[in-house]
Amino acid sequence: MMQPPTLINGVVVDRIDAGDRGLLYGDGLFETMAVRNGQVSSWPRHMARLLAGCERLGIPAVDPDQLSRESRELLAGIRQGVLKLIVTRGSGGRGYRIPEKILPRRILQLHPWPDFPATASDEGVAVRLCAIRLCHNPVLAGIKHLNRLEQVLARREWDNPQIGEGLLLDVAGCLVEGTMSNLFLVRDQVLLTPDLSCCGVAGIMRSIILECAEQLSLTAEIRALDIADLKAADEVFICNSLIGIWPVIAIDGRPYPKGAITSQIQQRMQAAEDNGSAWRP
Amino acid sequence: MMQPPTLINGVVVDRIDAGDRGLLYGDGLFETMAVRNGQVSSWPRHMARLLAGCERLGIPAVDPDQLSRESRELLAGIRQGVLKLIVTRGSGGRGYRIPEKILPRRILQLHPWPDFPATASDEGVAVRLCAIRLCHNPVLAGIKHLNRLEQVLARREWDNPQIGEGLLLDVAGCLVEGTMSNLFLVRDQVLLTPDLSCCGVAGIMRSIILECAEQLSLTAEIRALDIADLKAADEVFICNSLIGIWPVIAIDGRPYPKGAITSQIQQRMQAAEDNGSAWRP
């Protein structure tokens, strides 16, 4: 396999210390960012979430300016792609105990743009409900940390290329998100998205959509949602920083329409993207 | 920092592909093994747990004979130390989705024996209750996977070197384990240890102690235990493959005696170790 270009703490190298705590314990965070027209979409939002994650885990904050310089170096001449950034607590410590002097490790990788289905944004995707349940851990909820076995196991549940995403419930039976996306429902003209205070990743595109809804004077509610809410929904869509918005047109075979509000939000965000404002700060 | 000697897929090298799924998602397992008198304690038990973990995560089983050969190579001339083995799902795949062809990565590292307090086995240690709660995930419970942020954050809760371990409750308020150890209580001559079907690591030393109890005709119960059980306990001890058994002599300042049954089990295990039988297969 071709190695993607990688910068580790500013050095072009594709290997990492086998004692890094990211490997040993998943002791770190990551961001997955879209590169379009040579620019990293929503860079300030990704940096803000990363710093919030560092704060939560007690990893000394990395310098966004340094990350910005290193990203520019890695992206020189690149128009489109995916910029993945991992920040770990670095090496050292005895067992779980963190070292006295923490030297975080910055790993920047450039990946090609994924081969998402070309029709997904316009025509929507079929999704499924996953069997695995997300566990409740308020301390880890919301941030994009490296402990992602739940998502790996959820993604292992299906192999049918016609299924574009798997939706996840938590141990209490509440809807949370997709394996790689956040979830929105529309019911009676109201935008609904799961509360993520117990589990889930607070996605950048999710926050952009919530702001977009405000601009469109759509009522949006962040609250507990369950299967009954899903069944009662007029429209369903999923989102992340790479896919933008994908309408959901079927859940385990039950059809959903690609509705007017989903289209309205998609158009608003496309317009904002085209004039370089709002949703790509 | 001196790098510990490392073998990755049989090659002496201390760096790992930055695209390894162990780093990206904690997609793998590990074992921490005691090396004493040039031998790896309880090797067959560690291999059995590792293979059970591979089965659970859907990682193609690694070959124990190959791991045994590689361990012998790494341990040549070594009398005492800690052998750490990590098995990851290797590199590749698109996002959380696993690659079609999985090439697991075997990372074997030799560490010096930790500087545990010399008196801990005989005189016991003071411990504390941690604030962070372990979440319930039956799919991940019992196995020693690489998603260990809960343990890292728990270990971050104290810095007092007089505290030898932190005990963890789960989200339901049940006792589970220590950050790096399993937990046993003794009450009315009965050995009690938490059920680990919702969370926790099923320790090798825990299983050895349960067999030892059987040999000593001690009644042992694996069941839900809570703070009330802890308060009512006559004796408390913790265990793992490196420390063996440490009596707990205080929990958040409340004293506990180092009791007769704890000593009896310690002696039995020491005797078995001395004649090379039973608890070191």
Side-chain angles (χ1 to χ4, degrees):
Chain A
M1 197 181 318
M2 260 276 287
Q3 296 289 342
T6 306
L7 274 185
I8 300 182
N9 283 3
V11 179
V12 181
V13 60
D14 59 10
R15 295 187 167 261
I16 183 172
D17 174 23
D20 187 274
R21 296 175 63 95
L23 172 66
L24 303 186
Y25 310 124
D27 194 2
L29 300 148
F30 70 111
E31 295 291 334
T32 305
M33 295 171 272
V35 180
R36 296 193 189 91
N37 301 319
Q39 293 219 314
V40 180
S41 298
S42 303
W43 173 267
R45 291 179 195 257
H46 284 287
M47 287 304 104
R49 181 172 63 181
L50 176 69
L51 296 188
C54 286
E55 170 79 24
R56 190 93 70 85
L57 299 186
I59 294 177
V62 287
D63 175 6
D65 291 337
Q66 185 177 39
L67 289 173
S68 176
R69 284 192 301 275
E70 292 174 355
S71 297
R72 269 199 296 274
E73 182 184 338
L74 192 66
L75 294 175
I78 300 294
R79 299 298 295 168
Q80 191 189 44
V82 176
L83 178 64
K84 179 153 183 169
L85 163 62
I86 300 173
V87 171
T88 77
R89 206 186 301 267
S91 302
R94 200 185 84 191
Y96 298 125
R97 186 174 187 176
I98 63 176
E100 280 182 32
K101 188 162 173 53
I102 300 169
L103 295 171
R105 193 166 269 126
R106 310 176 301 282
I107 304 158
L108 278 160
Q109 284 186 320
L110 178 63
H111 296 271
W113 191 260
D115 53 345
F116 292 129
T119 59
S121 295
D122 288 337
E123 296 170 21
V125 293
V127 308
R128 69 191 296 282
L129 275 175
C130 290
I132 193 174
R133 299 293 184 100
L134 295 175
C135 70
H136 280 190
N137 195 327
V139 177
L140 297 177
I143 62 174
K144 206 165 166 81
H145 57 70
L146 294 173
N147 279 201
R148 291 294 157 203
L149 268 175
E150 290 180 325
Q151 283 71 27
V152 171
L153 294 181
R155 187 58 190 84
R156 252 190 101 225
E157 289 187 21
W158 82 96
D159 200 29
N160 177 353
Q162 302 304 314
I163 301 295
E165 174 62 307
L167 304 184
L168 289 157
L169 302 171
D170 67 12
V171 287
C174 289
L175 285 166
V176 183
E177 59 192 1
T179 63
M180 60 159 190
S181 62
N182 285 115
L183 174 68
F184 282 85
L185 314 183
V186 179
R187 187 179 182 186
D188 298 336
Q189 313 286 312
V190 175
L191 199 60
L192 305 168
T193 195
D195 172 72
L196 303 177
S197 53
C198 285
C199 50
V201 175
I204 299 304
M205 190 54 65
R206 175 180 178 268
S207 68
I208 291 170
I209 288 168
L210 288 170
E211 288 178 20
C212 178
E214 210 177 329
Q215 292 166 19
L216 291 168
S217 301
L218 282 169
T219 305
E221 293 180 11
I222 300 171
R223 63 171 172 87
L225 295 168
D226 60 18
I227 292 287
D229 293 299
L230 196 59
K231 286 184 176 159
D234 304 319
E235 306 175 28
V236 179
F237 64 86
I238 56 175
C239 65
N240 76 25
S241 292
L242 302 186
I243 67 175
I245 290 175
W246 284 356
V248 169
I249 52 168
I251 303 177
D252 285 328
R254 180 199 155 124
Y256 285 79
K258 184 200 165 181
I261 291 187
T262 303
S263 295
Q264 192 185 0
I265 296 171
Q266 279 183 312
Q267 285 160 19
R268 173 73 181 205
M269 294 192 16
Q270 186 61 50
E273 181 177 10
D274 290 344
N275 69 30
S277 72
W279 78 277
R280 191 191 291 174
Chain B
M1 196 181 317
M2 261 274 290
Q3 295 290 341
T6 306
L7 272 185
I8 300 181
N9 284 3
V11 179
V12 182
V13 60
D14 59 11
R15 294 189 167 259
I16 183 172
D17 173 23
D20 187 275
R21 297 175 62 95
L23 170 67
L24 302 187
Y25 310 124
D27 193 3
L29 300 148
F30 71 111
E31 296 289 333
T32 306
M33 297 171 273
V35 179
R36 294 193 190 89
N37 301 318
Q39 294 218 314
V40 181
S41 298
S42 305
W43 174 266
R45 291 179 195 256
H46 284 287
M47 287 303 106
R49 180 172 63 181
L50 177 69
L51 295 188
C54 286
E55 169 79 22
R56 189 91 71 85
L57 298 186
I59 294 177
V62 287
D63 175 7
D65 291 338
Q66 185 178 38
L67 289 173
S68 176
R69 284 193 302 274
E70 291 173 357
S71 297
R72 270 199 296 273
E73 182 184 337
L74 193 66
L75 295 175
I78 301 294
R79 300 296 296 165
Q80 192 189 45
V82 176
L83 178 64
K84 178 153 185 171
L85 164 62
I86 300 173
V87 172
T88 76
R89 207 186 299 268
S91 301
R94 199 185 85 192
Y96 297 125
R97 186 175 186 174
I98 63 175
E100 282 184 30
K101 188 161 174 52
I102 301 169
L103 295 170
R105 192 165 271 126
R106 311 176 300 282
I107 304 158
L108 277 160
Q109 283 187 320
L110 178 63
H111 295 272
W113 191 259
D115 53 344
F116 294 130
T119 59
S121 295
D122 288 339
E123 295 169 23
V125 293
V127 308
R128 70 191 294 283
L129 275 175
C130 290
I132 192 175
R133 300 293 184 99
L134 295 175
C135 70
H136 279 190
N137 195 328
V139 177
L140 297 176
I143 62 174
K144 207 166 164 80
H145 55 72
L146 293 174
N147 278 200
R148 292 293 158 205
L149 268 175
E150 290 179 327
Q151 283 71 27
V152 170
L153 294 181
R155 187 60 191 82
R156 252 190 101 224
E157 289 186 19
W158 82 97
D159 201 31
N160 178 351
Q162 303 304 315
I163 301 295
E165 174 62 308
L167 303 184
L168 289 156
L169 302 170
D170 66 13
V171 286
C174 289
L175 284 166
V176 183
E177 59 191 2
T179 64
M180 60 158 192
S181 62
N182 286 115
L183 174 69
F184 282 86
L185 314 183
V186 179
R187 186 178 184 188
D188 299 335
Q189 313 286 311
V190 175
L191 198 61
L192 304 168
T193 194
D195 172 70
L196 303 177
S197 52
C198 285
C199 51
V201 176
I204 300 302
M205 191 54 65
R206 175 179 180 267
S207 67
I208 291 169
I209 288 168
L210 288 171
E211 288 177 19
C212 178
E214 210 177 329
Q215 292 165 20
L216 290 169
S217 301
L218 281 170
T219 304
E221 293 179 11
I222 300 171
R223 64 172 172 85
L225 294 168
D226 61 18
I227 293 287
D229 293 298
L230 197 60
K231 287 185 175 158
D234 304 318
E235 307 174 27
V236 178
F237 65 87
I238 55 175
C239 65
N240 76 24
S241 292
L242 302 186
I243 67 176
I245 290 174
W246 282 357
V248 169
I249 53 169
I251 302 177
D252 285 329
R254 179 198 156 127
Y256 285 80
K258 184 198 165 182
I261 290 186
T262 303
S263 295
Q264 193 185 358
I265 296 172
Q266 281 183 312
Q267 284 159 21
R268 172 73 179 205
M269 295 197 11
Q270 187 60 50
E273 182 179 9
D274 291 344
N275 68 31
S277 72
W279 78 276
R280 190 191 292 175

